[in-house]
PDB file of all heavy atoms in Angstrom:
ATOM      1  N   ASP A  62      16.105   4.245  18.368  1.00  0.00           N
ATOM      2  CA  ASP A  62      15.255   3.793  17.264  1.00  0.00           C
ATOM      3  C   ASP A  62      14.682   5.008  16.486  1.00  0.00           C
ATOM      4  O   ASP A  62      13.710   4.867  15.733  1.00  0.00           O
ATOM      5  CB  ASP A  62      14.106   2.900  17.735  1.00  0.00           C
ATOM      6  CG  ASP A  62      14.589   1.690  18.541  1.00  0.00           C
ATOM      7  OD1 ASP A  62      15.097   0.765  17.876  1.00  0.00           O
ATOM      8  OD2 ASP A  62      14.523   1.710  19.797  1.00  0.00           O
ATOM      9  N   LEU A  66      14.081   3.265  12.029  1.00  0.00           N
ATOM     10  CA  LEU A  66      12.732   2.933  12.342  1.00  0.00           C
ATOM     11  C   LEU A  66      11.812   4.152  12.320  1.00  0.00           C
ATOM     12  O   LEU A  66      10.598   4.009  12.084  1.00  0.00           O
ATOM     13  CB  LEU A  66      12.660   2.233  13.718  1.00  0.00           C
ATOM     14  CG  LEU A  66      11.268   1.699  14.119  1.00  0.00           C
ATOM     15  CD1 LEU A  66      10.888   0.534  13.254  1.00  0.00           C
ATOM     16  CD2 LEU A  66      11.277   1.290  15.559  1.00  0.00           C
ATOM     17  N   ARG A  71       6.896   6.626  15.280  1.00  0.00           N
ATOM     18  CA  ARG A  71       7.115   7.137  13.952  1.00  0.00           C
ATOM     19  C   ARG A  71       7.110   8.667  13.884  1.00  0.00           C
ATOM     20  O   ARG A  71       6.834   9.257  12.810  1.00  0.00           O
ATOM     21  CB  ARG A  71       6.033   6.605  12.971  1.00  0.00           C
ATOM     22  CG  ARG A  71       5.792   5.107  12.983  1.00  0.00           C
ATOM     23  CD  ARG A  71       6.958   4.347  12.433  1.00  0.00           C
ATOM     24  NE  ARG A  71       6.700   2.929  12.366  1.00  0.00           N
ATOM     25  CZ  ARG A  71       7.123   2.050  13.248  1.00  0.00           C
ATOM     26  NH1 ARG A  71       7.891   2.385  14.275  1.00  0.00           N
ATOM     27  NH2 ARG A  71       6.811   0.750  13.074  1.00  0.00           N
ATOM     28  N   ASP A  74       9.762   9.679  11.533  1.00  0.00           N
ATOM     29  CA  ASP A  74       9.710   8.838  10.331  1.00  0.00           C
ATOM     30  C   ASP A  74      10.335   9.581   9.114  1.00  0.00           C
ATOM     31  O   ASP A  74       9.917  10.744   8.835  1.00  0.00           O
ATOM     32  CB  ASP A  74       8.237   8.486  10.002  1.00  0.00           C
ATOM     33  CG  ASP A  74       8.123   7.476   8.883  1.00  0.00           C
ATOM     34  OD1 ASP A  74       9.095   6.778   8.678  1.00  0.00           O
ATOM     35  OD2 ASP A  74       7.063   7.369   8.334  1.00  0.00           O
ATOM     36  N   ASP A  87      20.658   7.334  15.625  1.00  0.00           N
ATOM     37  CA  ASP A  87      20.154   6.149  16.376  1.00  0.00           C
ATOM     38  C   ASP A  87      21.182   5.955  17.456  1.00  0.00           C
ATOM     39  O   ASP A  87      22.327   5.511  17.279  1.00  0.00           O
ATOM     40  CB  ASP A  87      20.188   4.908  15.507  1.00  0.00           C
ATOM     41  CG  ASP A  87      18.845   4.665  14.833  1.00  0.00           C
ATOM     42  OD1 ASP A  87      17.792   5.035  15.492  1.00  0.00           O
ATOM     43  OD2 ASP A  87      18.834   4.096  13.808  1.00  0.00           O
ATOM     44  N   SER A  88      20.807   6.296  18.657  1.00  0.00           N
ATOM     45  CA  SER A  88      21.834   6.300  19.774  1.00  0.00           C
ATOM     46  C   SER A  88      21.911   4.968  20.444  1.00  0.00           C
ATOM     47  O   SER A  88      20.987   4.120  20.297  1.00  0.00           O
ATOM     48  CB  SER A  88      21.454   7.302  20.800  1.00  0.00           C
ATOM     49  OG  SER A  88      20.360   6.852  21.557  1.00  0.00           O
ATOM     50  N   PRO A  89      22.980   4.703  21.131  1.00  0.00           N
ATOM     51  CA  PRO A  89      22.970   3.480  22.019  1.00  0.00           C
ATOM     52  C   PRO A  89      21.856   3.569  23.020  1.00  0.00           C
ATOM     53  O   PRO A  89      21.334   4.624  23.293  1.00  0.00           O
ATOM     54  CB  PRO A  89      24.336   3.602  22.702  1.00  0.00           C
ATOM     55  CG  PRO A  89      25.214   4.343  21.759  1.00  0.00           C
ATOM     56  CD  PRO A  89      24.273   5.330  21.140  1.00  0.00           C
ATOM     57  N   LEU A  90      21.514   2.430  23.582  1.00  0.00           N
ATOM     58  CA  LEU A  90      20.347   2.310  24.470  1.00  0.00           C
ATOM     59  C   LEU A  90      20.750   2.849  25.871  1.00  0.00           C
ATOM     60  O   LEU A  90      21.068   2.086  26.759  1.00  0.00           O
ATOM     61  CB  LEU A  90      19.884   0.890  24.583  1.00  0.00           C
ATOM     62  CG  LEU A  90      18.390   0.607  24.894  1.00  0.00           C
ATOM     63  CD1 LEU A  90      18.148  -0.906  24.881  1.00  0.00           C
ATOM     64  CD2 LEU A  90      17.939   1.275  26.141  1.00  0.00           C
ATOM     65  N   GLU A  92      19.739   6.377  28.179  1.00  0.00           N
ATOM     66  CA  GLU A  92      19.128   7.648  28.275  1.00  0.00           C
ATOM     67  C   GLU A  92      20.043   8.743  28.887  1.00  0.00           C
ATOM     68  O   GLU A  92      20.054   9.878  28.475  1.00  0.00           O
ATOM     69  CB  GLU A  92      17.798   7.588  29.001  1.00  0.00           C
ATOM     70  CG  GLU A  92      16.686   6.816  28.249  1.00  0.00           C
ATOM     71  CD  GLU A  92      16.858   5.312  28.298  1.00  0.00           C
ATOM     72  OE1 GLU A  92      17.728   4.853  29.105  1.00  0.00           O
ATOM     73  OE2 GLU A  92      16.142   4.612  27.591  1.00  0.00           O
ATOM     74  N   PHE A 329      -4.721   8.955  40.743  1.00  0.00           N
ATOM     75  CA  PHE A 329      -4.619   8.712  42.185  1.00  0.00           C
ATOM     76  C   PHE A 329      -3.140   8.637  42.632  1.00  0.00           C
ATOM     77  O   PHE A 329      -2.234   8.530  41.762  1.00  0.00           O
ATOM     78  CB  PHE A 329      -5.310   7.374  42.511  1.00  0.00           C
ATOM     79  CG  PHE A 329      -6.788   7.402  42.337  1.00  0.00           C
ATOM     80  CD1 PHE A 329      -7.414   6.748  41.240  1.00  0.00           C
ATOM     81  CD2 PHE A 329      -7.532   8.176  43.182  1.00  0.00           C
ATOM     82  CE1 PHE A 329      -8.764   6.854  41.104  1.00  0.00           C
ATOM     83  CE2 PHE A 329      -8.918   8.307  43.016  1.00  0.00           C
ATOM     84  CZ  PHE A 329      -9.572   7.623  41.952  1.00  0.00           C
ATOM     85  N   ASN A 330      -2.899   8.655  43.927  1.00  0.00           N
ATOM     86  CA  ASN A 330      -1.544   8.654  44.368  1.00  0.00           C
ATOM     87  C   ASN A 330      -1.112   7.223  44.643  1.00  0.00           C
ATOM     88  O   ASN A 330      -0.830   6.807  45.731  1.00  0.00           O
ATOM     89  CB  ASN A 330      -1.404   9.579  45.646  1.00  0.00           C
ATOM     90  CG  ASN A 330      -1.659  10.987  45.250  1.00  0.00           C
ATOM     91  OD1 ASN A 330      -0.843  11.611  44.678  1.00  0.00           O
ATOM     92  ND2 ASN A 330      -2.899  11.518  45.467  1.00  0.00           N
ATOM     93  N   TYR A 333       1.280   3.863  38.660  1.00  0.00           N
ATOM     94  CA  TYR A 333       0.324   3.723  37.581  1.00  0.00           C
ATOM     95  C   TYR A 333      -0.113   2.222  37.459  1.00  0.00           C
ATOM     96  O   TYR A 333       0.779   1.337  37.535  1.00  0.00           O
ATOM     97  CB  TYR A 333       0.966   4.145  36.225  1.00  0.00           C
ATOM     98  CG  TYR A 333      -0.081   4.371  35.169  1.00  0.00           C
ATOM     99  CD1 TYR A 333      -0.711   5.582  35.044  1.00  0.00           C
ATOM    100  CD2 TYR A 333      -0.484   3.354  34.284  1.00  0.00           C
ATOM    101  CE1 TYR A 333      -1.674   5.828  34.124  1.00  0.00           C
ATOM    102  CE2 TYR A 333      -1.465   3.513  33.348  1.00  0.00           C
ATOM    103  CZ  TYR A 333      -2.071   4.783  33.210  1.00  0.00           C
ATOM    104  OH  TYR A 333      -3.032   5.009  32.341  1.00  0.00           O
ATOM    105  N   ALA A 335      -1.949  -1.460  36.359  1.00  0.00           N
ATOM    106  CA  ALA A 335      -2.040  -2.331  35.194  1.00  0.00           C
ATOM    107  C   ALA A 335      -3.131  -1.713  34.312  1.00  0.00           C
ATOM    108  O   ALA A 335      -4.128  -1.128  34.780  1.00  0.00           O
ATOM    109  CB  ALA A 335      -2.377  -3.751  35.571  1.00  0.00           C
ATOM    110  N   SER A 336      -3.060  -1.856  32.980  1.00  0.00           N
ATOM    111  CA  SER A 336      -3.777  -1.124  32.055  1.00  0.00           C
ATOM    112  C   SER A 336      -5.314  -1.404  32.160  1.00  0.00           C
ATOM    113  O   SER A 336      -6.159  -0.619  31.834  1.00  0.00           O
ATOM    114  CB  SER A 336      -3.341  -1.257  30.629  1.00  0.00           C
ATOM    115  OG  SER A 336      -3.409  -2.663  30.205  1.00  0.00           O
ATOM    116  N   LYS A 337      -5.636  -2.642  32.646  1.00  0.00           N
ATOM    117  CA  LYS A 337      -7.055  -2.982  32.824  1.00  0.00           C
ATOM    118  C   LYS A 337      -7.715  -2.043  33.840  1.00  0.00           C
ATOM    119  O   LYS A 337      -8.926  -2.009  33.927  1.00  0.00           O
ATOM    120  CB  LYS A 337      -7.239  -4.397  33.290  1.00  0.00           C
ATOM    121  CG  LYS A 337      -6.862  -5.484  32.220  1.00  0.00           C
ATOM    122  CD  LYS A 337      -8.021  -5.762  31.339  1.00  0.00           C
ATOM    123  CE  LYS A 337      -7.596  -6.853  30.305  1.00  0.00           C
ATOM    124  NZ  LYS A 337      -8.494  -6.916  29.239  1.00  0.00           N
ATOM    125  N   ASP A 347     -16.831  11.904  33.729  1.00  0.00           N
ATOM    126  CA  ASP A 347     -17.580  11.751  34.962  1.00  0.00           C
ATOM    127  C   ASP A 347     -16.842  12.420  36.193  1.00  0.00           C
ATOM    128  O   ASP A 347     -17.457  13.065  36.983  1.00  0.00           O
ATOM    129  CB  ASP A 347     -17.942  10.306  35.323  1.00  0.00           C
ATOM    130  CG  ASP A 347     -18.958   9.725  34.359  1.00  0.00           C
ATOM    131  OD1 ASP A 347     -19.822  10.520  33.915  1.00  0.00           O
ATOM    132  OD2 ASP A 347     -18.947   8.539  34.095  1.00  0.00           O
ATOM    133  N   ARG A 348     -15.629  12.182  36.241  1.00  0.00           N
ATOM    134  CA  ARG A 348     -14.897  12.720  37.364  1.00  0.00           C
ATOM    135  C   ARG A 348     -14.775  14.240  37.311  1.00  0.00           C
ATOM    136  O   ARG A 348     -14.753  14.941  38.305  1.00  0.00           O
ATOM    137  CB  ARG A 348     -13.491  12.064  37.605  1.00  0.00           C
ATOM    138  CG  ARG A 348     -13.670  10.771  38.409  1.00  0.00           C
ATOM    139  CD  ARG A 348     -12.459   9.921  38.472  1.00  0.00           C
ATOM    140  NE  ARG A 348     -11.314  10.614  39.108  1.00  0.00           N
ATOM    141  CZ  ARG A 348     -10.069  10.141  38.996  1.00  0.00           C
ATOM    142  NH1 ARG A 348      -9.848   9.089  38.301  1.00  0.00           N
ATOM    143  NH2 ARG A 348      -9.093  10.870  39.578  1.00  0.00           N
TER     144      ARG A 348
ATOM    145  N   LEU B 146       0.650  -9.736  33.129  1.00  0.00           N
ATOM    146  CA  LEU B 146       1.378  -8.517  32.817  1.00  0.00           C
ATOM    147  C   LEU B 146       1.135  -8.123  31.344  1.00  0.00           C
ATOM    148  O   LEU B 146       0.829  -6.940  31.071  1.00  0.00           O
ATOM    149  CB  LEU B 146       2.886  -8.742  33.022  1.00  0.00           C
ATOM    150  CG  LEU B 146       3.864  -7.590  32.943  1.00  0.00           C
ATOM    151  CD1 LEU B 146       5.122  -7.910  33.763  1.00  0.00           C
ATOM    152  CD2 LEU B 146       4.244  -7.205  31.550  1.00  0.00           C
ATOM    153  N   GLY B 149      -2.325  -6.840  30.791  1.00  0.00           N
ATOM    154  CA  GLY B 149      -2.642  -5.607  31.431  1.00  0.00           C
ATOM    155  C   GLY B 149      -3.459  -5.798  32.683  1.00  0.00           C
ATOM    156  O   GLY B 149      -4.123  -4.897  33.187  1.00  0.00           O
ATOM    157  N   HIS B 152       1.012  -6.452  37.241  1.00  0.00           N
ATOM    158  CA  HIS B 152       2.456  -6.118  36.920  1.00  0.00           C
ATOM    159  C   HIS B 152       3.345  -7.323  37.066  1.00  0.00           C
ATOM    160  O   HIS B 152       4.526  -7.181  37.234  1.00  0.00           O
ATOM    161  CB  HIS B 152       2.960  -4.983  37.814  1.00  0.00           C
ATOM    162  CG  HIS B 152       2.329  -3.655  37.553  1.00  0.00           C
ATOM    163  ND1 HIS B 152       2.013  -3.211  36.291  1.00  0.00           N
ATOM    164  CD2 HIS B 152       1.917  -2.644  38.386  1.00  0.00           C
ATOM    165  CE1 HIS B 152       1.527  -2.020  36.319  1.00  0.00           C
ATOM    166  NE2 HIS B 152       1.397  -1.661  37.603  1.00  0.00           N
ATOM    167  N   GLY B 204      21.258  -4.644  23.811  1.00  0.00           N
ATOM    168  CA  GLY B 204      20.956  -3.227  23.893  1.00  0.00           C
ATOM    169  C   GLY B 204      21.209  -2.755  25.366  1.00  0.00           C
ATOM    170  O   GLY B 204      21.833  -1.651  25.539  1.00  0.00           O
ATOM    171  N   GLN B 208      23.588   0.420  28.861  1.00  0.00           N
ATOM    172  CA  GLN B 208      23.008   1.221  29.980  1.00  0.00           C
ATOM    173  C   GLN B 208      24.060   1.391  31.107  1.00  0.00           C
ATOM    174  O   GLN B 208      24.796   0.464  31.426  1.00  0.00           O
ATOM    175  CB  GLN B 208      21.778   0.478  30.587  1.00  0.00           C
ATOM    176  CG  GLN B 208      20.522   0.658  29.731  1.00  0.00           C
ATOM    177  CD  GLN B 208      19.986   2.099  29.905  1.00  0.00           C
ATOM    178  OE1 GLN B 208      20.523   2.978  30.600  1.00  0.00           O
ATOM    179  NE2 GLN B 208      18.851   2.322  29.211  1.00  0.00           N
ATOM    180  N   ALA B 235      18.327  -4.392  19.355  1.00  0.00           N
ATOM    181  CA  ALA B 235      17.545  -3.741  20.438  1.00  0.00           C
ATOM    182  C   ALA B 235      16.504  -2.951  19.619  1.00  0.00           C
ATOM    183  O   ALA B 235      16.756  -1.909  19.002  1.00  0.00           O
ATOM    184  CB  ALA B 235      18.467  -2.760  21.206  1.00  0.00           C
ATOM    185  N   ILE B 236      15.321  -3.585  19.653  1.00  0.00           N
ATOM    186  CA  ILE B 236      14.261  -3.098  18.765  1.00  0.00           C
ATOM    187  C   ILE B 236      14.811  -3.039  17.350  1.00  0.00           C
ATOM    188  O   ILE B 236      15.202  -4.090  16.780  1.00  0.00           O
ATOM    189  CB  ILE B 236      13.537  -1.826  19.202  1.00  0.00           C
ATOM    190  CG1 ILE B 236      13.104  -1.911  20.691  1.00  0.00           C
ATOM    191  CG2 ILE B 236      12.290  -1.582  18.306  1.00  0.00           C
ATOM    192  CD1 ILE B 236      12.258  -0.764  21.214  1.00  0.00           C
ATOM    193  N   SER B 237      15.056  -1.811  16.779  1.00  0.00           N
ATOM    194  CA  SER B 237      15.516  -1.693  15.382  1.00  0.00           C
ATOM    195  C   SER B 237      17.039  -1.614  15.279  1.00  0.00           C
ATOM    196  O   SER B 237      17.578  -1.650  14.186  1.00  0.00           O
ATOM    197  CB  SER B 237      14.911  -0.466  14.701  1.00  0.00           C
ATOM    198  OG  SER B 237      15.459   0.769  15.229  1.00  0.00           O
ATOM    199  N   GLU B 238      17.684  -1.350  16.422  1.00  0.00           N
ATOM    200  CA  GLU B 238      19.077  -1.008  16.336  1.00  0.00           C
ATOM    201  C   GLU B 238      19.949  -2.328  16.398  1.00  0.00           C
ATOM    202  O   GLU B 238      19.936  -3.022  17.394  1.00  0.00           O
ATOM    203  CB  GLU B 238      19.509  -0.082  17.431  1.00  0.00           C
ATOM    204  CG  GLU B 238      18.712   1.253  17.334  1.00  0.00           C
ATOM    205  CD  GLU B 238      19.345   2.343  18.221  1.00  0.00           C
ATOM    206  OE1 GLU B 238      20.468   2.135  18.782  1.00  0.00           O
ATOM    207  OE2 GLU B 238      18.692   3.389  18.349  1.00  0.00           O
ATOM    208  N   ARG B 242      25.299  -0.580  16.926  1.00  0.00           N
ATOM    209  CA  ARG B 242      24.901   0.672  17.484  1.00  0.00           C
ATOM    210  C   ARG B 242      25.229   0.744  18.953  1.00  0.00           C
ATOM    211  O   ARG B 242      25.133   1.794  19.589  1.00  0.00           O
ATOM    212  CB  ARG B 242      23.435   1.014  17.247  1.00  0.00           C
ATOM    213  CG  ARG B 242      23.062   1.211  15.766  1.00  0.00           C
ATOM    214  CD  ARG B 242      22.958   2.721  15.435  1.00  0.00           C
ATOM    215  NE  ARG B 242      24.198   3.409  15.427  1.00  0.00           N
ATOM    216  CZ  ARG B 242      25.052   3.469  14.389  1.00  0.00           C
ATOM    217  NH1 ARG B 242      24.801   2.845  13.292  1.00  0.00           N
ATOM    218  NH2 ARG B 242      26.227   4.078  14.476  1.00  0.00           N
ATOM    219  N   GLN B 243      25.495  -0.434  19.566  1.00  0.00           N
ATOM    220  CA  GLN B 243      25.830  -0.448  21.004  1.00  0.00           C
ATOM    221  C   GLN B 243      27.304  -0.599  21.291  1.00  0.00           C
ATOM    222  O   GLN B 243      27.829  -0.165  22.288  1.00  0.00           O
ATOM    223  CB  GLN B 243      25.101  -1.633  21.660  1.00  0.00           C
ATOM    224  CG  GLN B 243      23.661  -1.829  21.245  1.00  0.00           C
ATOM    225  CD  GLN B 243      22.699  -0.667  21.708  1.00  0.00           C
ATOM    226  OE1 GLN B 243      23.062   0.127  22.590  1.00  0.00           O
ATOM    227  NE2 GLN B 243      21.547  -0.566  21.102  1.00  0.00           N
ATOM    228  N   ARG B 308      10.929  -3.119   8.643  1.00  0.00           N
ATOM    229  CA  ARG B 308      11.396  -1.761   8.506  1.00  0.00           C
ATOM    230  C   ARG B 308      12.928  -1.632   8.609  1.00  0.00           C
ATOM    231  O   ARG B 308      13.492  -0.637   8.275  1.00  0.00           O
ATOM    232  CB  ARG B 308      10.707  -0.776   9.424  1.00  0.00           C
ATOM    233  CG  ARG B 308       9.241  -0.515   9.127  1.00  0.00           C
ATOM    234  CD  ARG B 308       8.626   0.413  10.177  1.00  0.00           C
ATOM    235  NE  ARG B 308       9.100   1.783  10.059  1.00  0.00           N
ATOM    236  CZ  ARG B 308       8.388   2.753   9.501  1.00  0.00           C
ATOM    237  NH1 ARG B 308       7.169   2.500   9.043  1.00  0.00           N
ATOM    238  NH2 ARG B 308       8.897   4.053   9.452  1.00  0.00           N
ATOM    239  N   ASP B 365     -10.714  -9.777  35.093  1.00  0.00           N
ATOM    240  CA  ASP B 365     -10.115  -8.462  35.186  1.00  0.00           C
ATOM    241  C   ASP B 365      -9.865  -8.182  36.723  1.00  0.00           C
ATOM    242  O   ASP B 365     -10.566  -8.648  37.544  1.00  0.00           O
ATOM    243  CB  ASP B 365     -11.088  -7.372  34.684  1.00  0.00           C
ATOM    244  CG  ASP B 365     -11.054  -7.378  33.135  1.00  0.00           C
ATOM    245  OD1 ASP B 365     -10.158  -8.015  32.548  1.00  0.00           O
ATOM    246  OD2 ASP B 365     -11.929  -6.669  32.541  1.00  0.00           O
ATOM    247  N   GLN B 383      -3.516   7.251  50.658  1.00  0.00           N
ATOM    248  CA  GLN B 383      -4.152   6.157  49.868  1.00  0.00           C
ATOM    249  C   GLN B 383      -5.389   5.693  50.620  1.00  0.00           C
ATOM    250  O   GLN B 383      -6.362   5.331  49.845  1.00  0.00           O
ATOM    251  CB  GLN B 383      -3.139   4.997  49.732  1.00  0.00           C
ATOM    252  CG  GLN B 383      -2.030   5.277  48.663  1.00  0.00           C
ATOM    253  CD  GLN B 383      -1.033   6.306  49.106  1.00  0.00           C
ATOM    254  OE1 GLN B 383      -0.835   6.513  50.266  1.00  0.00           O
ATOM    255  NE2 GLN B 383      -0.505   7.042  48.137  1.00  0.00           N
ATOM    256  N   GLU B 386      -8.076   8.141  49.655  1.00  0.00           N
ATOM    257  CA  GLU B 386      -8.468   8.020  48.192  1.00  0.00           C
ATOM    258  C   GLU B 386      -9.304   6.819  47.960  1.00  0.00           C
ATOM    259  O   GLU B 386     -10.223   6.799  47.210  1.00  0.00           O
ATOM    260  CB  GLU B 386      -7.227   8.041  47.309  1.00  0.00           C
ATOM    261  CG  GLU B 386      -6.561   9.406  47.216  1.00  0.00           C
ATOM    262  CD  GLU B 386      -5.548   9.519  46.128  1.00  0.00           C
ATOM    263  OE1 GLU B 386      -5.060   8.483  45.636  1.00  0.00           O
ATOM    264  OE2 GLU B 386      -5.301  10.691  45.720  1.00  0.00           O
ATOM    265  N   TYR B 393     -17.486   7.263  45.472  1.00  0.00           N
ATOM    266  CA  TYR B 393     -17.693   7.796  44.153  1.00  0.00           C
ATOM    267  C   TYR B 393     -18.296   6.704  43.292  1.00  0.00           C
ATOM    268  O   TYR B 393     -19.294   6.923  42.591  1.00  0.00           O
ATOM    269  CB  TYR B 393     -16.350   8.276  43.562  1.00  0.00           C
ATOM    270  CG  TYR B 393     -16.341   8.652  42.114  1.00  0.00           C
ATOM    271  CD1 TYR B 393     -16.965   9.840  41.710  1.00  0.00           C
ATOM    272  CD2 TYR B 393     -15.785   7.866  41.112  1.00  0.00           C
ATOM    273  CE1 TYR B 393     -17.049  10.166  40.350  1.00  0.00           C
ATOM    274  CE2 TYR B 393     -15.789   8.181  39.842  1.00  0.00           C
ATOM    275  CZ  TYR B 393     -16.415   9.396  39.442  1.00  0.00           C
ATOM    276  OH  TYR B 393     -16.468   9.769  38.092  1.00  0.00           O
TER     277      TYR B 393
END
Side-chain angles (χ1 to χ4, degrees):
Chain A
D62 305 286
L66 186 66
R71 309 291 186 259
D74 190 22
D87 266 330
S88 76
L90 205 179
E92 291 78 10
F329 293 109
N330 294 284
Y333 198 86
S336 61
K337 292 271 181 197
D347 286 330
R348 274 172 61 195
Chain B
L146 189 159
H152 289 321
Q208 281 286 1
I236 309 187
S237 72
E238 297 193 11
R242 292 260 71 85
Q243 315 295 342
R308 288 179 72 104
D365 283 349
Q383 282 69 28
E386 287 194 338
Y393 174 72

